Amino acid sequence: MSPQAARGGLRSLLRSISISISIKTKLGSLVVVSVFITTGLLLVAVRTQTELRFITVFSVIATLLITQFVAHGLTAPLDEMNTVAKGISHGDYTRRVRGADRRDELGDLASTINRMADDLEAVDQNRKELVANVSHELRTPIAALRAVLENVVDGVSAADPETMRTALKQTERLGRLVETLLDLSRLDNGVVPLRSRRFEVWPYLSGVLKEANLAAAQRGLTSGSGHHTRTDVHLHLDVSPPELTAHADAERLHQVVANLIDNAVKHSPPHGRVTVRARRGPQPESLDLEVVDEGPGIPEQERHKVFERFNRGNVTSPHGKGSDGGTGLGLAIARWAVDLHGGRIGVAESSRGCRILVTLPGTPAARG
């Protein structure tokens, strides 16, 4: 081991075993030291027969010097915190407070301010990304709709049913995007109630899969709809036992399953297979739900990002006709709906493709 590494390890060890000294302790120590200095000088004066006024002056000077030294150690970090806080109030989230490694209340306050600055910087970055992404998502259907209407107005295209269907599809895409953004707004404001009930899993999921197939067939070859339009991917349902029941909010769970299916279909190879698998969880009325596709899968280093808003993954091109990138909001809504139930959602290990596992806790008694 090199001398630099040894010294670094020693410093880390000393920091880890150092005692936290509070400001109250430091001020108390200041008073005690001042009393000891004054007492010591008085004893010196008595033994040496020095005039009391000289001892008083020396005692005052010594006490002021010690007080100034301690006060500087207390006020200098506060001045820096005040400067950083003013910068944060004016939108500057790049500055940080030094001294977060202090072993007292000021160190704790510096750490808190730095964490607050980190959080505000992340929120500001997310806000900018949200505005940019929403603007991009709205611009595409609006531009397409405008082009169709301009062609009709200029006489380039006739206002026949086919042209109107094209305009209607872009309008529906705008409507779906706005509805998704409203869902996210309700998510952030916490105004979405949870209406859980007991239901049979097989008929419920069977209905969700049928709706997905019908919706894809109706949308035909529309691109950029935010929902899959592929009809070459086979959806398979696997529920065991067949009489399996669960306790959850059916509407919110529908959002979860529909968005997971939509995502799996988009990333499936031509004529691929998407399996929705449901099993009984460890608690009464709890549910373990899996959606498995045969696509390229998600690299382990990217798995923590897949449920972030506007994240489309790293797939550079669609895998089949009618596949598109979507808005990147579906999995974020799925995570929100699962969190609302108090459950868990994540990317699980799979030998092929992507496997997303959802765990719902069941009845309120079981959750407690």
Side-chain angles (χ1 to χ4, degrees):
M1 180 182 294
S2 65
Q4 293 83 355
R7 286 195 294 270
L10 180 59
R11 285 194 295 268
S12 300
L13 178 60
L14 291 176
R15 280 197 299 268
S16 64
I17 64 177
S18 61
I19 300 175
S20 177
I21 302 177
S22 67
I23 294 178
K24 291 181 180 180
T25 303
K26 292 178 181 179
L27 294 177
S29 301
L30 173 62
V31 174
V32 172
V33 171
S34 300
V35 171
F36 271 110
I37 291 175
T38 304
T39 304
L41 291 175
L42 287 174
L43 292 175
V44 171
V46 171
R47 292 181 179 181
T48 61
Q49 297 181 350
T50 306
E51 292 186 16
L52 183 61
R53 59 180 178 176
F54 294 113
I55 297 300
T56 303
V57 172
F58 290 147
S59 176
V60 170
I61 292 175
T63 303
L64 286 177
L65 289 176
I66 296 174
T67 303
Q68 178 65 22
F69 175 76
V70 175
H72 177 74
L74 296 177
T75 57
L78 291 176
D79 292 337
E80 184 181 7
M81 292 176 191
N82 184 41
T83 302
V84 173
K86 286 181 179 179
I88 291 175
S89 67
H90 290 89
D92 181 12
Y93 307 118
T94 60
R95 302 188 62 178
R96 297 295 183 269
V97 180
R98 292 172 296 179
D101 56 345
R102 291 171 60 112
R103 310 289 291 184
D104 56 13
E105 291 87 346
L106 291 177
D108 295 338
L109 181 58
S111 298
T112 301
I113 292 177
N114 289 340
R115 285 195 299 269
M116 179 185 68
D118 291 338
D119 293 341
L120 290 175
E121 186 177 17
V123 169
D124 185 63
Q125 182 64 29
N126 290 336
R127 177 185 60 82
K128 293 177 181 178
E129 291 178 357
L130 177 65
V131 172
N133 285 318
V134 169
S135 301
H136 174 75
E137 292 298 331
L138 291 174
R139 180 177 59 186
T140 303
I142 289 176
L145 182 59
R146 178 179 179 179
V148 172
L149 295 179
E150 284 181 346
N151 288 338
V152 172
V153 172
D154 295 340
V156 177
S157 301
D160 53 21
E162 183 62 29
T163 302
M164 291 298 100
R165 273 194 295 269
T166 302
L168 177 61
K169 289 175 181 178
Q170 297 302 329
T171 305
E172 289 174 346
R173 180 186 179 187
L174 279 173
R176 284 191 294 270
L177 179 59
V178 171
E179 183 179 354
T180 301
L181 293 174
L182 287 175
D183 283 339
L184 292 176
S185 176
R186 288 192 288 266
L187 177 162
D188 293 333
N189 294 327
V191 297
V192 179
L194 190 66
R195 300 183 177 90
S196 298
R197 61 176 178 83
R198 182 176 178 271
F199 61 93
E200 295 182 4
V201 176
W202 175 271
Y204 175 79
L205 292 180
S206 179
V208 176
L209 266 64
K210 288 180 180 178
E211 288 180 15
N213 279 327
L214 288 175
Q218 290 175 357
R219 278 189 289 269
L221 300 180
T222 305
S223 62
S225 64
H227 294 266
H228 80 87
T229 59
R230 299 177 56 186
T231 56
D232 63 311
V233 178
H234 175 64
L235 302 182
H236 176 69
L237 179 60
D238 177 13
V239 178
S240 180
E243 67 276 8
L244 178 64
T245 60
H247 190 275
D249 187 315
E251 184 177 354
R252 300 279 82 83
L253 184 58
H254 188 286
Q255 288 179 298
V256 175
V257 179
N259 281 303
L260 292 182
I261 292 175
D262 177 56
N263 181 75
V265 170
K266 285 175 183 176
H267 295 86
S268 292
H271 307 288
R273 178 187 181 99
V274 172
T275 301
V276 179
R277 186 177 295 113
R279 297 291 186 268
R280 179 176 287 116
Q283 303 296 331
E285 304 294 331
S286 60
L287 180 65
D288 289 343
L289 189 68
E290 296 179 4
V291 177
V292 185
D293 62 53
E294 298 176 341
I298 302 174
E300 187 173 357
Q301 64 272 17
E302 298 289 332
R303 292 179 183 177
H304 66 285
K305 299 179 182 179
V306 298
F307 299 102
E308 294 178 359
R309 298 179 184 183
F310 295 103
N311 179 68
R312 294 181 176 86
N314 56 2
V315 179
T316 57
S317 62
H319 290 281
K321 192 175 183 180
S323 176
D324 57 75
T327 63
L329 294 173
L331 293 183
I333 293 178
R335 181 182 63 178
W336 157 70
V338 173
D339 290 343
L340 198 63
H341 285 83
R344 298 188 305 273
I345 183 172
V347 181
E349 292 295 334
S350 178
S351 58
R352 180 184 181 187
C354 175
R355 172 172 165 254
I356 295 183
L357 175 62
V358 176
T359 302
L360 300 180
T363 60
R367 281 181 250 171

